[in-house]
């Protein structure tokens, strides 16, 4: 792998992991359009995902510190309850990962029509969420708190987003907003939810070991992918927080709709 390809993949991973446009969908499209695809190399895959994990930790380091402090000291406070809700939100994706791993992996075969359809679903979710927040603002409705039930519903949205083209951040944030939660709270919850599944997934992949005949990727390319995904991830994460606060999700809905229509037309023409 060339360094520029590693950098391109790092940028793609860092941006699309946090922005509501689907990292998996864009990787499928990039693979078909430009011949840029994530190589079959365990070390590189773990490196770019670790980069986005580290960017989440950097942006939310204060919140993570408070969560860990409350859990380790067995305190019964809001941070301990948030930690419990985060664990509850992991149950749907755990079930999906254990029960449907094979069928899910079979979806990642360059099916551009599926990617386009799921991008249209992402666009619809973002538009519905925007309308829900506007209606709540007009009614001056009191934001609803995070509860165990809402944590499970947002977690279910995250589990559904394993399908390529359905944005994880778009699905989880939109679900939380449509449930009436505060913008800052649901955005923070969505990004903190990212940590456990990604760390767990990569840990399990590392235990399984590299497959026979995997592509060779040099240490310089691995380092470039990690650094790029980390740096871009920090920027994208902070940008997304600001966009949700300003209710700018409609722009991403339009983008996802346009790319979704393009993907479907492209697949039909091909």
């Amino acid at each position: 792998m060339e360094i520029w390809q590693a950098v391109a993949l790092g940028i793609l991973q860092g941006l699309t992991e946090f922005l509501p446009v689907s990292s998996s969908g864009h990787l499928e499209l990039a693979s078909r359009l430009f011949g840029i695809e994530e190589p079959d190399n365990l070390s590189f895959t773990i490196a770019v995902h670790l980069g986005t994990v580290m960017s989440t930790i950097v942006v939310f380091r204060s919140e993570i510190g408070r969560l860990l402090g409350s859990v380790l000291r067995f305190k019964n406070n809001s941070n301990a309850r948030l930690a419990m809700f985060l664990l509850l939100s992991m149950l749907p994706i755990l079930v999906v990962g254990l029960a449907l791993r094979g069928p899910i992996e079979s979806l990642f075969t360059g099916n551009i029509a599926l990617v386009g359809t799921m991008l249209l679903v992402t666009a619809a979710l973002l538009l519905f969420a925007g309308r829900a927040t506007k209606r709540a603002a007009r009614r001056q409705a009191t934001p609803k708190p995070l509860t165990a039930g809402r944590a499970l519903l947002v977690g279910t949205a995250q589990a559904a987003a394993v399908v390529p083209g359905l944005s994880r951040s778009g699905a989880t944030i939109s679900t939380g907003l449509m449930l009436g939660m505060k913008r800052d709270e649901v955005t923070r919850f969505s990004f903190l939810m990212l940590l456990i599944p990604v760390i767990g997934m990569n840990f399990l992949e590392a235990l399984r070991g590299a497959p026979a005949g995997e592509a060779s990727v040099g240490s310089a390319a691995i380092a470039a992918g990690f650094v790029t995904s980390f740096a871009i991830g920090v920027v994208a994460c902070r940008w997304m927080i600001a966009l949700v606060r300003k209710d700018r999700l409609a722009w991403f809905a339009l983008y996802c709709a346009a790319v979704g229509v393009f993907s479907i037309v492209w697949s039909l023409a091909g």
Side-chain angles (χ1 to χ4, degrees):
M1 173 187 281
E2 300 292 336
I3 297 297
W4 73 267
Q5 291 176 309
V7 170
L9 287 170
I11 292 172
L12 189 66
Q13 173 69 22
L15 274 176
T16 58
E17 187 65 62
F18 296 104
L19 300 181
V21 295
S22 177
S23 59
S24 58
H26 275 70
L27 188 59
E28 293 284 309
L29 292 174
S31 175
R32 288 285 296 273
L33 275 173
F34 308 112
I36 299 175
E37 57 183 315
E38 193 168 347
D40 185 19
N41 182 276
L42 181 63
S43 298
F44 185 85
T45 300
I46 291 176
V48 293
H49 284 92
L50 182 60
T52 51
V53 166
M54 291 301 297
S55 62
T56 306
I57 293 173
V58 167
V59 174
F60 291 99
R61 58 189 179 277
S62 298
E63 289 87 344
I64 293 171
R66 289 193 292 268
L67 285 174
L68 291 176
S70 295
V71 171
L72 294 176
R73 296 171 186 171
F74 300 101
K75 290 186 176 181
N76 183 15
N77 55 24
S78 60
N79 288 315
R81 288 191 293 275
L82 175 58
M84 181 189 70
F85 293 149
L86 285 169
L87 291 175
L88 278 174
S89 73
M90 299 299 108
L91 294 179
I93 199 167
L94 177 64
V95 171
V96 168
L98 292 176
L100 301 173
R101 182 186 180 97
I104 289 169
E105 289 181 346
S106 69
L107 297 176
F108 291 82
T109 55
N111 189 338
I112 304 304
L114 174 64
V115 171
T117 302
M118 290 299 102
L119 283 170
L120 292 179
V121 173
T122 299
L125 287 173
L126 295 172
L127 287 175
F128 290 151
R131 291 179 180 177
T133 55
K134 285 181 172 62
R135 285 197 299 269
R138 286 196 297 269
R139 297 196 310 267
Q140 296 183 335
T142 302
K144 295 179 181 178
L146 179 63
T147 62
R150 294 188 182 102
L152 280 172
L153 287 172
V154 176
T156 301
Q158 175 171 254
V162 298
V163 180
L166 184 57
S167 167
R168 192 205 69 85
S169 62
T172 54
I173 291 174
S174 294
T175 299
L177 291 176
M178 286 187 284
L179 290 172
M181 294 171 59
K182 290 177 62 176
R183 294 175 185 174
D184 284 356
E185 184 176 31
V186 72
T187 306
R188 176 184 63 169
F189 190 70
S190 171
F191 289 154
L192 290 175
M193 285 170 62
L194 164 74
L195 295 175
I196 298 176
V198 173
I199 292 173
M201 177 190 69
N202 284 283
F203 178 72
L204 291 176
E205 290 294 334
L207 289 180
R208 289 172 63 190
E214 74 167 11
S216 176
V217 176
S219 57
I222 292 173
F226 169 78
V227 171
T228 307
S229 65
F230 167 73
I232 298 298
V234 169
V235 174
C237 185
R238 289 175 173 164
W239 186 25
M240 185 61 185
I241 294 170
L243 289 170
V244 174
R245 285 174 179 166
K246 296 176 181 178
D247 194 17
R248 295 291 188 269
L249 293 181
W251 294 107
F252 290 102
L254 293 174
Y255 171 81
C256 288
V259 177
V261 170
F262 167 78
S263 301
I264 293 172
V265 172
W266 182 26
S267 68
L268 294 174

